[in-house]
Amino acid sequence: MSARPPVIRVEDLNVWFDLPGGGELHAVQGVTFELRAGARMGLVGESGCGKTTTILAMMGLLPATASVSGKVLLDGEDILVGGEETISPHRWSDISMVFQGAMNAFNPVRTIGAQIAEPMVLHGMATGKSARSRVAELLELVGIAGDRANRYPHEFSGGMRQRAAIAMALACSPKVLLADEPTTALDVMVQAQILELLVSLSTTLGQELGLTVILVTHDLPVVAQVCDRAAVMYAGEIVEMGGMSEIYHDPRHPYSRMLFAATPDLLGDDEVLSIPGAPPRLDREIVGCPFRPRCDSAFEPCSTVRPGRREPVAGHEARCHLNDPSLTELPS
Ligand code: SF4
């Protein structure tokens, strides 16, 4: 692994939401990871596991009902520490995001080019002619002719609008790009083009500008196609994290194993299994392992002791007692 320091480090990130009837929901629980320039990590898990909340917290874009603790270190500087004051200089310029359904979020009465230019103008990075020329450059980068900047959103196809949303997120040359389900609702061909685009941006810009990509998705084949690392989330926690290939071939958490088994095989030669049960409620205290009621490998300590982070293999960590030799090895 490269000796370069991480470009982004998330440290013990927690998010709670106040509930209307009182009480709170602990949506993100102790999320910690770090990534170096040019890395592409997939953040995967079932709906409601905390993926989107994690990246919205990293951008400082959660609603007022949310409380956040922990650190988001960008090149070593904690951008969460002072709230909006410390995040806003970095939002869009150093850390940027493609929102879920971004292709439908363009203002219909403004040109695509004017909307792509907005973050640059906001950060004082370009105005007038320089902004127009940068917009054309960005459109070319995502495979759209630069002279289409004066078109309106309805003149673009869904795939082109999604590419334009990526161009907008790249406008200020960020170091980190957070992409939330960027291919949902696109047809298979357009999806493949967008994924190819993300890989090429990360590899070409990875050398030049250090673009690091975090891809949020529930779609494991998409992660396998695009990412070199994966973090599997369950009930607000990262339960397994490591190289994509290592997690796929040697999962160290039963949830990851079951998640792969529940993914249709493109060749159709494996039976697709479902994961029984449902995730636990996050507005209640969880005793023991949050995955225990659904786990086919649970054993005695799982019902009383919450598993901590363990690294059974260098660079591959999991929160599961099966990785704790003191619990699994029989006394001689
Ligand atoms: Fe299953 Fe126990 Fe591991 Fe939890 S700690 S995933 S219940 S084996």
Side-chain angles (χ1 to χ4, degrees):
M1 189 174 279
S2 159
R4 278 181 298 181
V7 64
I8 184 102
R9 178 171 167 78
V10 173
E11 220 172 272
D12 198 19
L13 185 71
N14 285 273
V15 178
W16 297 264
F17 287 103
D18 292 337
L19 294 173
E24 48 187 19
L25 186 146
H26 197 174
V28 174
Q29 308 192 10
V31 162
T32 296
F33 65 85
E34 62 181 36
L35 292 169
R36 292 182 165 75
R40 295 185 301 274
M41 183 175 86
L43 201 50
V44 299
E46 291 163 285
S47 298
C49 69
K51 310 181 294 285
T52 297
T53 307
T54 297
I55 60 168
L56 286 173
M58 290 169 69
M59 291 286 290
L61 290 175
L62 287 170
T65 52
S67 317
V68 180
S69 74
K71 294 180 181 175
V72 173
L73 301 155
L74 197 61
D75 280 336
E77 180 190 344
D78 184 4
I79 59 171
L80 284 194
V81 69
E84 190 56 21
E85 202 175 309
T86 49
I87 292 180
S88 60
H90 298 282
R91 190 187 292 131
W92 312 123
S93 56
D94 293 317
I95 181 166
S96 190
M97 184 164 173
V98 178
F99 293 95
Q100 214 174 103
M103 65 179 183
N104 299 319
F106 282 102
N107 183 336
V109 297
R110 297 185 64 212
T111 63
I112 290 280
Q115 295 183 67
I116 292 176
E118 206 163 272
M120 289 186 273
V121 174
L122 196 74
H123 282 276
M125 296 175 83
T127 50
K129 200 173 165 193
S130 63
R132 281 195 294 280
S133 115
R134 174 75 177 140
V135 166
E137 194 182 298
L138 285 161
L139 285 174
E140 299 279 352
L141 188 68
V142 299
I144 298 173
D147 59 8
R148 301 194 119 187
N150 288 331
R151 303 281 177 93
Y152 288 87
H154 73 270
E155 297 178 275
F156 276 33
S157 68
M160 284 169 73
R161 286 202 305 276
Q162 189 65 358
R163 284 166 182 271
I166 295 173
M168 184 153 72
L170 295 174
C172 301
S173 305
K175 295 169 184 160
V176 180
L177 177 69
L178 312 174
D180 192 2
E181 304 276 6
T183 57
T184 303
L186 296 174
D187 69 51
V188 187
M189 294 303 289
V190 179
Q191 172 172 320
Q193 289 165 3
I194 298 284
L195 295 179
E196 214 173 284
L197 171 66
L198 283 177
V199 174
S200 78
L201 289 173
S202 151
T203 46
T204 54
L205 298 185
Q207 292 154 3
E208 221 181 290
L209 302 172
L211 184 69
T212 300
V213 177
I214 298 178
L215 176 65
V216 167
T217 180
H218 62 276
D219 193 335
L220 281 166
V222 162
V223 174
Q225 199 179 330
V226 172
C227 300
D228 42 30
R229 293 185 66 72
V232 180
M233 287 193 77
Y234 184 77
E237 291 182 330
I238 290 182
V239 294
E240 181 157 9
M241 180 164 57
M244 182 62 216
S245 163
E246 286 75 34
I247 292 185
Y248 183 75
H249 293 292
D250 183 22
R252 295 300 182 120
H253 194 287
Y255 177 62
S256 311
R257 172 172 49 75
M258 292 164 87
L259 207 56
F260 284 117
T263 303
D265 184 326
L266 283 180
L267 299 174
D269 52 4
D270 279 329
E271 189 190 350
V272 178
L273 304 171
S274 64
I275 306 176
R281 289 181 58 159
L282 298 180
D283 58 344
R284 298 195 177 156
E285 193 195 352
I286 297 171
V287 178
C289 173
F291 190 57
R292 188 191 56 79
R294 307 173 77 186
C295 183
D296 59 6
S297 309
F299 59 122
E300 198 274 324
C302 306
S303 47
T304 49
V305 184
R306 185 106 182 214
R309 282 168 65 199
R310 291 198 157 260
E311 198 171 333
V313 183
H316 184 168
E317 62 178 60
R319 281 182 188 263
C320 170
H321 291 317
L322 292 172
N323 298 292
D324 182 348
S326 71
L327 295 174
T328 53
E329 278 171 10
L330 292 172
S332 52

